[in-house]
Amino acid sequence: MTTSTSATRTTAARGNTGSDTGRPRLVPVLWLALLATPVAAAANAPVLILPDMAGSLGVATSTAAWLVAAFAWAMAVAIPLLAGLLRRRGLAPVLRLSSALLLGGTLLVAASPWLPLTLLGRAAQAAGGAGLVAAAMSLAGSARRMGVISAGFGMLGATGPLLGAQLSHSVSWRLSLSVSLISLLAVPAVSKYAKAPAAAPQGRFDARGAALLTLLATALVLLPHAPAVALGSAALAAVLLALHMRRRPEGFVPAALIRKPLFLGSALLALALSTSYFTLLFAVPRLISDRAGWDTGAAGAGQLVALLLGSALSWLLAAGSARMGRVAVRTVLIGIGTLAALVAAFASHGPLLLLATMGGVFGATGANAVLSTHAASSVPEAQRPTAIGLFTLCYQLGGAFGPAIATALVLGS
């Protein structure tokens, strides 16, 4: 999730800093990291505890995996919607709404004894976290700072499985799913930068375009679970959205943006790398247990180290991406992502499987930090928040596809 300086320095980011000169300054990047990254730990917390969650709710493990899919769906859908709210209304309303969603969703998860209500809570948690991520992205101000946030996102995601297992065994799996509340600690500090006037609305809000995009994203999330129904629904939604874009080319999904090869290439590559990473994240602990005979604790600890290393290396890629050039960066991402998938498919030794995990997180986090810059640079400045929101939608769809693929291929066996 990265942007160039011009891509992310929106009106909402130019808040009152309280300085004597009144000149705007960037939010300290550590506050932005705290605002955005805990949701990654909450998203990955179920990796090692899906059976415990399923047993507590009285459902099969494959059914409990819907808690992961619901979280990924809500993240995918909410980020472009809340990025649009940020662009039209400014930062303060997004922070307030996101905080309320996150807190309300966590209360539901903590108290609900039924899967449907727990699913609703997880979706609300994810939507709130998505808004905080969108706010952090808007305030980043440079590719290097966005690289810090993206690497932090990967590192917090890396701690999620082991943290989730420890909290589940010590207290409750419900506490494991509540760690994104830590984000709220950063809201008061970041709110200082929300004192600029709200961004002026740019015409009537395109509610139909937003609804059709939500329908399309929902159908795509359901694709691994109900392929026939989801494929038909996705095709219908795509046709309706395309027709709507012809009638309203400057609407919620700008037609000019979708025609940009640089945007489409960046978004689709990010989707592929994200799907691969989330598949490996959920599948590798089971593969290590089955193929190498490691216990859950050893697999979780090894995966944590691999994910931390891969996330740290992705920041180096982000920091050097401007000097490397687009072709070289994409070659590195595609090469390492492909190699990680091949190793996971055929390796039988634990260390090799952990290297696959490291390669997977490097590819996905590196794509998140670099390719969003490419996507944003493909459009005029006025459309860059929209480009980033739609790019992130594609990335987050990988968070829905990956666990479903892992469940079908590995976890469900």
Side-chain angles (χ1 to χ4, degrees), residues 18-242:
S19 64
D20 294 336
T21 64
R23 292 188 306 169
R25 63 181 175 86
L26 294 174
V27 183
V29 71
L30 292 181
W31 284 120
L32 296 182
L34 181 60
L35 188 71
T37 57
V39 70
N44 294 346
V47 169
L48 300 176
I49 60 172
L50 273 177
D52 296 338
M53 294 164 58
S56 175
L57 294 169
V59 298
T61 299
S62 58
T63 304
W66 278 100
L67 289 167
V68 179
F71 196 95
W73 166 80
M75 280 284 291
V77 169
I79 280 185
L81 294 176
L82 291 172
L85 177 63
L86 179 67
R87 185 179 66 253
R88 297 173 62 87
R89 299 292 183 232
L91 184 63
V94 172
L95 290 177
R96 288 195 295 267
L97 176 60
S98 300
S99 299
L101 286 170
L102 180 55
L103 182 58
T106 300
L107 291 176
L108 273 180
V109 169
S112 169
W114 304 295
L115 178 63
L117 201 56
T118 308
L119 284 170
L120 180 62
R122 282 294 276 170
Q125 283 182 318
L132 299 181
V133 170
M137 290 170 61
S138 75
L139 294 166
S142 73
R144 182 180 293 272
R145 283 161 54 87
M146 201 57 244
V148 173
I149 296 171
S150 183
F153 206 85
M155 290 179 179
L156 265 290
T159 66
L162 195 58
L163 177 63
Q166 292 298 321
L167 290 177
S168 177
H169 296 154
S170 302
V171 184
S172 168
W173 62 265
R174 297 178 188 273
L175 182 61
S176 303
L177 305 187
S178 304
V179 295
S180 54
L181 280 178
I182 297 171
S183 294
L184 299 182
L185 296 174
V187 170
V190 175
S191 294
K192 295 188 305 181
Y193 298 83
K195 296 178 182 178
Q202 300 175 354
R204 182 170 56 88
F205 176 69
D206 183 14
R208 182 176 297 178
L212 288 172
L213 179 66
T214 301
L215 177 61
L216 176 60
T218 302
L220 291 174
V221 169
L222 292 174
L223 193 57
H225 305 278
V229 175
L231 187 60
S233 300
L236 176 62
V239 169
L240 292 175
L241 182 58

